[in-house]
Amino acid sequence: MTRLLQHLAPAVLLAFVALVTATPLMANGGTVRISRAPVGLYLVSVFTSPTPLRTGEVDVSVLVQDAEQERILDVPIIVEAHPLDTEAAAVTHEATRQQATNKLFKAAKFDVLAEGEWEFSITVGGEEGGTVSFQATLTDPTLLDRPYLLAALVLIPLALLGWLLLGRDDEKDEASTRQSRIAATT
Amino acid sequence: MGDLRAFLLSWQFETEVVVGLALSAFLYARGWRRLRKRGRGGRILRRWRAWCFAAGLTAVGVALLSPVATFGSLLMSMHMIQHLLLIMIAAPLLLLGAPMLPMLWAFPRGGRRRLGRLLHPSNPVHRVFHFLTRPGIALPVFILVVVIWHYPPLYDAAQGRTITHDLEHFCFLAAALLYYWPLIHPTGSPRRMSYGAGILYLFPSKLTGFVIGASLSMAQTPWYQTYINAPRLWGLSALDDQQLAGLIMWIFGGLLYIFPLLLLVVMMIREDEGDVWVPEVVRQRQAAASRGEIEAA
């Protein structure tokens, strides 16, 4: 059983590394786009990530507070992204707590596939709310944006593979040494 | 959802942190088990050391993945707690875990030998590390890192999800590991500093924390643009938050220095009473020296 586990260990470890590195590198926080903007009866703050914004999955996180900034409010939030200089389709998503890392926020995570200028509009609340917007430039991502991701994706699995699969085990080493000693004495 | 519940649920997933922690725990556990099985490791391989290492990894995880990290971009006080966790809790606990020997033994014989060569005194890697962990180098490096990263333009540049933020945390943890190294000397090699000198060694860094903490808490205006721009939570103004962060650094940072200080005093007293463990290397050297003296006589 132990031997089976030892053989499975590299596969389990590699699967784990692959799984975690494949997870989108997103979280709330990031760049402040709008800070405490009055929208109807509310104050709205908006963060985007990743920093800088790249095509692919984008996270727009919205915090809605009362005018005194003492209470965090649970109101419906819709995020829309419109391209300003391309033919790409506009994207509309509802922001929810489930998508947010910081659970005081509501977040919308969606794919923006075309690079260029985009306008993001955030519609907050019903009749007591309103809409606020900002513009951002999206560029295509490169692996150099996260060099350690590249290292993690390539070097760690390779190093582990080399070590765990090709490395000789101590027990085997000692067993062979013992055998050669016995052979030498007999 | 209540604010407290929302706060407690705000954990984040950082791939590089999770991979790093999982790999470190795996290597330590594998090497530790191997060494224990063979009855090797001696005094270094105590169960409490494994617990210290686990606690150190947990502290790193809490600092970089928990709500403390998530709220660090909104509240400076949370960011300060994050830094204290990395510098004053995680770093000494990781070193108390004496991870070099177990991690080396996690590798098969060939890999262990290759890595072991790096640790040989004639190897440039060893020489650079030996130089950096000199008390006269590690202490100013640590103070410089702490001071530089509190300089407002740099601090602001490090916020958001950019590589500078990861670099800031890496610098803090690395500088703290260098700083605590000569105090804890986790390899079991001869001490490079007496316990009495260790007490003096703690003082300048304590003073730095005191000066920065007091300056932050007594400032009349907020220093950092990041927190001036951030939404205010629970009616806490940017200045209130900064003053709270300063107090955390000043008071809690000061309290955290008391533990190593007391430990060093106890060790100094025990050393005077001849009740302190002497590493095997030192004992052999002492024995050789006394043999030499006898022969010379």
Side-chain angles (χ1 to χ4, degrees), chain A residues 16 20-21 25 27 35-36 45 47 51 65 69 101-104 146 148 163 168-171 173-174, chain B residues 6 10-12 15-16 19 27 34 38 71 74 106-109 112 161 166 228-232 235:
Chain A
F16 173 75
V20 292
T21 47
L25 292 157
S35 180
R36 289 167 281 167
S45 302
F47 288 73
T51 302
Q65 295 172 286
Q69 299 185 80
T101 303
N102 185 332
K103 301 297 180 192
L104 293 180
R146 303 288 291 253
Y148 41 77
W163 164 48
R168 294 180 67 192
D169 211 12
D170 293 325
E171 280 78 9
D173 274 2
E174 285 186 5
Chain B
S10 297
W11 286 72
Q12 59 188 37
T15 310
E16 54 273 31
V19 170
L27 291 175
R34 258 189 188 173
R38 286 152 190 270
F71 279 80
L74 299 173
F107 289 85
R109 180 174 286 183
R112 199 161 64 226
R161 301 217 147 260
D166 295 342
I228 295 170
N229 291 341
R232 304 315 325 152

Side-chain angles (χ1 to χ4, degrees), chain A residues 99-141:
Chain A
Q99 294 177 84
T101 303
N102 185 332
K103 301 297 180 192
L104 293 180
F105 286 66
K106 284 190 171 185
K109 289 179 182 175
F110 51 90
D111 287 333
V112 177
L113 299 175
E115 60 177 333
E117 277 295 311
W118 284 73
E119 183 173 68
F120 293 82
S121 306
I122 294 100
T123 306
V124 176
E127 289 173 3
E128 295 173 335
T131 300
V132 67
S133 61
F134 66 91
Q135 291 180 9
T137 307
L138 274 83
T139 52
D140 281 332

